PDB file of all heavy atoms in Angstrom:
ATOM      1  N   LEU W 363      -4.941  29.086   7.630  1.00 94.00           N
ATOM      2  CA  LEU W 363      -4.239  27.979   6.968  1.00 94.00           C
ATOM      3  C   LEU W 363      -4.051  28.290   5.476  1.00 94.00           C
ATOM      4  O   LEU W 363      -2.942  28.181   4.937  1.00 94.00           O
ATOM      5  CB  LEU W 363      -5.033  26.683   7.167  1.00 94.00           C
ATOM      6  CG  LEU W 363      -4.471  25.431   6.509  1.00 94.00           C
ATOM      7  CD1 LEU W 363      -3.064  25.114   7.006  1.00 94.00           C
ATOM      8  CD2 LEU W 363      -5.393  24.232   6.774  1.00 94.00           C
ATOM      9  N   ALA W 364      -5.115  28.714   4.825  1.00 93.00           N
ATOM     10  CA  ALA W 364      -5.019  29.040   3.387  1.00 93.00           C
ATOM     11  C   ALA W 364      -4.044  30.186   3.169  1.00 93.00           C
ATOM     12  O   ALA W 364      -3.252  30.169   2.210  1.00 93.00           O
ATOM     13  CB  ALA W 364      -6.399  29.390   2.848  1.00 93.00           C
ATOM     14  N   ARG W 365      -4.067  31.164   4.079  1.00 94.00           N
ATOM     15  CA  ARG W 365      -3.126  32.301   3.936  1.00 94.00           C
ATOM     16  C   ARG W 365      -1.689  31.812   4.029  1.00 94.00           C
ATOM     17  O   ARG W 365      -0.826  32.205   3.244  1.00 94.00           O
ATOM     18  CB  ARG W 365      -3.393  33.346   5.031  1.00 94.00           C
ATOM     19  CG  ARG W 365      -4.486  34.340   4.690  1.00 94.00           C
ATOM     20  CD  ARG W 365      -4.381  35.594   5.538  1.00 94.00           C
ATOM     21  NE  ARG W 365      -4.409  35.320   6.964  1.00 94.00           N
ATOM     22  CZ  ARG W 365      -5.516  35.241   7.703  1.00 94.00           C
ATOM     23  NH1 ARG W 365      -6.696  35.450   7.158  1.00 94.00           N
ATOM     24  NH2 ARG W 365      -5.446  34.979   8.997  1.00 94.00           N
ATOM     25  N   ALA W 366      -1.425  30.925   4.992  1.00 94.00           N
ATOM     26  CA  ALA W 366      -0.052  30.415   5.186  1.00 94.00           C
ATOM     27  C   ALA W 366       0.413  29.645   3.943  1.00 94.00           C
ATOM     28  O   ALA W 366       1.565  29.760   3.518  1.00 94.00           O
ATOM     29  CB  ALA W 366      -0.005  29.519   6.425  1.00 94.00           C
ATOM     30  N   ILE W 367      -0.485  28.869   3.363  1.00 95.00           N
ATOM     31  CA  ILE W 367      -0.103  28.082   2.166  1.00 95.00           C
ATOM     32  C   ILE W 367       0.168  29.037   0.996  1.00 95.00           C
ATOM     33  O   ILE W 367       1.173  28.905   0.289  1.00 95.00           O
ATOM     34  CB  ILE W 367      -1.212  27.056   1.817  1.00 95.00           C
ATOM     35  CG1 ILE W 367      -1.364  26.051   2.960  1.00 95.00           C
ATOM     36  CG2 ILE W 367      -0.902  26.338   0.496  1.00 95.00           C
ATOM     37  CD1 ILE W 367      -2.584  25.152   2.886  1.00 95.00           C
ATOM     38  N   ASN W 368      -0.685  30.014   0.821  1.00 93.00           N
ATOM     39  CA  ASN W 368      -0.484  30.987  -0.270  1.00 93.00           C
ATOM     40  C   ASN W 368       0.840  31.722  -0.120  1.00 93.00           C
ATOM     41  O   ASN W 368       1.550  31.951  -1.099  1.00 93.00           O
ATOM     42  CB  ASN W 368      -1.624  32.012  -0.281  1.00 93.00           C
ATOM     43  CG  ASN W 368      -2.747  31.543  -1.190  1.00 93.00           C
ATOM     44  OD1 ASN W 368      -2.493  31.066  -2.303  1.00 93.00           O
ATOM     45  ND2 ASN W 368      -3.970  31.656  -0.723  1.00 93.00           N
ATOM     46  N   LYS W 369       1.176  32.053   1.116  1.00 93.00           N
ATOM     47  CA  LYS W 369       2.435  32.780   1.353  1.00 93.00           C
ATOM     48  C   LYS W 369       3.625  31.872   1.009  1.00 93.00           C
ATOM     49  O   LYS W 369       4.562  32.283   0.320  1.00 93.00           O
ATOM     50  CB  LYS W 369       2.486  33.204   2.822  1.00 93.00           C
ATOM     51  CG  LYS W 369       3.656  34.056   3.185  1.00 93.00           C
ATOM     52  CD  LYS W 369       3.358  34.830   4.484  1.00 93.00           C
ATOM     53  CE  LYS W 369       4.529  35.712   4.862  1.00 93.00           C
ATOM     54  NZ  LYS W 369       5.676  34.921   5.310  1.00 93.00           N
ATOM     55  N   ALA W 370       3.558  30.621   1.447  1.00 92.00           N
ATOM     56  CA  ALA W 370       4.661  29.682   1.177  1.00 92.00           C
ATOM     57  C   ALA W 370       4.834  29.485  -0.332  1.00 92.00           C
ATOM     58  O   ALA W 370       5.955  29.333  -0.834  1.00 92.00           O
ATOM     59  CB  ALA W 370       4.387  28.349   1.866  1.00 92.00           C
ATOM     60  N   LEU W 371       3.718  29.496  -1.046  1.00 91.00           N
ATOM     61  CA  LEU W 371       3.768  29.243  -2.502  1.00 91.00           C
ATOM     62  C   LEU W 371       4.636  30.250  -3.258  1.00 91.00           C
ATOM     63  O   LEU W 371       5.145  29.941  -4.342  1.00 91.00           O
ATOM     64  CB  LEU W 371       2.350  29.271  -3.080  1.00 91.00           C
ATOM     65  CG  LEU W 371       1.672  27.919  -3.215  1.00 91.00           C
ATOM     66  CD1 LEU W 371       0.240  28.103  -3.699  1.00 91.00           C
ATOM     67  CD2 LEU W 371       2.425  27.015  -4.192  1.00 91.00           C
ATOM     68  N   ASP W 372       4.831  31.431  -2.669  1.00 89.00           N
ATOM     69  CA  ASP W 372       5.723  32.428  -3.309  1.00 89.00           C
ATOM     70  C   ASP W 372       7.120  31.855  -3.475  1.00 89.00           C
ATOM     71  O   ASP W 372       7.886  32.304  -4.320  1.00 89.00           O
ATOM     72  CB  ASP W 372       5.830  33.688  -2.429  1.00 89.00           C
ATOM     73  CG  ASP W 372       4.565  34.507  -2.488  1.00 89.00           C
ATOM     74  OD1 ASP W 372       3.769  34.289  -3.423  1.00 89.00           O
ATOM     75  OD2 ASP W 372       4.367  35.350  -1.587  1.00 89.00           O
ATOM     76  N   ASP W 373       7.474  30.862  -2.623  1.00 82.00           N
ATOM     77  CA  ASP W 373       8.840  30.315  -2.656  1.00 82.00           C
ATOM     78  C   ASP W 373       8.976  29.145  -3.619  1.00 82.00           C
ATOM     79  O   ASP W 373      10.075  28.611  -3.781  1.00 82.00           O
ATOM     80  CB  ASP W 373       9.242  29.793  -1.259  1.00 82.00           C
ATOM     81  CG  ASP W 373       9.236  30.894  -0.221  1.00 82.00           C
ATOM     82  OD1 ASP W 373       9.286  32.067  -0.618  1.00 82.00           O
ATOM     83  OD2 ASP W 373       9.173  30.568   0.983  1.00 82.00           O
ATOM     84  N   LYS W 374       7.900  28.697  -4.223  1.00 82.00           N
ATOM     85  CA  LYS W 374       8.018  27.484  -5.065  1.00 82.00           C
ATOM     86  C   LYS W 374       8.899  27.773  -6.274  1.00 82.00           C
ATOM     87  O   LYS W 374       8.686  28.724  -7.017  1.00 82.00           O
ATOM     88  CB  LYS W 374       6.625  26.972  -5.490  1.00 82.00           C
ATOM     89  CG  LYS W 374       6.729  25.630  -6.225  1.00 82.00           C
ATOM     90  CD  LYS W 374       5.409  24.894  -6.283  1.00 82.00           C
ATOM     91  CE  LYS W 374       5.409  23.790  -7.331  1.00 82.00           C
ATOM     92  NZ  LYS W 374       6.193  22.607  -7.038  1.00 82.00           N
ATOM     93  N   ARG W 375       9.896  26.898  -6.428  1.00 79.00           N
ATOM     94  CA  ARG W 375      10.849  27.092  -7.529  1.00 79.00           C
ATOM     95  C   ARG W 375      10.268  26.543  -8.837  1.00 79.00           C
ATOM     96  O   ARG W 375       9.334  25.737  -8.825  1.00 79.00           O
ATOM     97  CB  ARG W 375      12.163  26.365  -7.221  1.00 79.00           C
ATOM     98  CG  ARG W 375      12.844  26.873  -5.967  1.00 79.00           C
ATOM     99  CD  ARG W 375      14.193  26.233  -5.750  1.00 79.00           C
ATOM    100  NE  ARG W 375      14.134  24.785  -5.597  1.00 79.00           N
ATOM    101  CZ  ARG W 375      15.190  24.021  -5.356  1.00 79.00           C
ATOM    102  NH1 ARG W 375      16.387  24.569  -5.238  1.00 79.00           N
ATOM    103  NH2 ARG W 375      15.074  22.713  -5.236  1.00 79.00           N
ATOM    104  N   ALA W 376      10.890  26.916  -9.938  1.00 73.00           N
ATOM    105  CA  ALA W 376      10.405  26.479 -11.250  1.00 73.00           C
ATOM    106  C   ALA W 376      10.491  24.961 -11.387  1.00 73.00           C
ATOM    107  O   ALA W 376       9.658  24.348 -12.056  1.00 73.00           O
ATOM    108  CB  ALA W 376      11.207  27.151 -12.346  1.00 73.00           C
ATOM    109  N   GLY W 377      11.511  24.370 -10.761  1.00 78.00           N
ATOM    110  CA  GLY W 377      11.652  22.921 -10.908  1.00 78.00           C
ATOM    111  C   GLY W 377      12.627  22.354  -9.887  1.00 78.00           C
ATOM    112  O   GLY W 377      13.255  23.094  -9.125  1.00 78.00           O
ATOM    113  N   HIS W 378      12.723  21.033  -9.879  1.00 78.00           N
ATOM    114  CA  HIS W 378      13.676  20.386  -8.975  1.00 78.00           C
ATOM    115  C   HIS W 378      15.095  20.513  -9.543  1.00 78.00           C
ATOM    116  O   HIS W 378      15.279  20.924 -10.696  1.00 78.00           O
ATOM    117  CB  HIS W 378      13.290  18.924  -8.742  1.00 78.00           C
ATOM    118  CG  HIS W 378      13.367  18.062  -9.962  1.00 78.00           C
ATOM    119  ND1 HIS W 378      14.539  17.856 -10.652  1.00 78.00           N
ATOM    120  CD2 HIS W 378      12.418  17.344 -10.628  1.00 78.00           C
ATOM    121  CE1 HIS W 378      14.312  17.041 -11.666  1.00 78.00           C
ATOM    122  NE2 HIS W 378      13.025  16.726 -11.683  1.00 78.00           N
ATOM    123  N   HIS W 379      16.082  20.163  -8.724  1.00 77.00           N
ATOM    124  CA  HIS W 379      17.469  20.291  -9.179  1.00 77.00           C
ATOM    125  C   HIS W 379      18.157  18.933  -9.179  1.00 77.00           C
ATOM    126  O   HIS W 379      19.350  18.829  -8.913  1.00 77.00           O
ATOM    127  CB  HIS W 379      18.212  21.295  -8.287  1.00 77.00           C
ATOM    128  CG  HIS W 379      17.768  22.708  -8.526  1.00 77.00           C
ATOM    129  ND1 HIS W 379      18.620  23.718  -8.869  1.00 77.00           N
ATOM    130  CD2 HIS W 379      16.526  23.260  -8.524  1.00 77.00           C
ATOM    131  CE1 HIS W 379      17.934  24.835  -9.061  1.00 77.00           C
ATOM    132  NE2 HIS W 379      16.662  24.581  -8.840  1.00 77.00           N
TER     133      HIS W 379
END
Side-chain angles (χ1 to χ4, degrees):
L363 178 59
R365 275 200 304 271
I367 297 169
N368 269 316
K369 185 159 181 290
L371 265 176
D372 287 343
D373 299 341
K374 187 162 163 72
R375 299 185 299 182
H378 65 61
H379 288 236

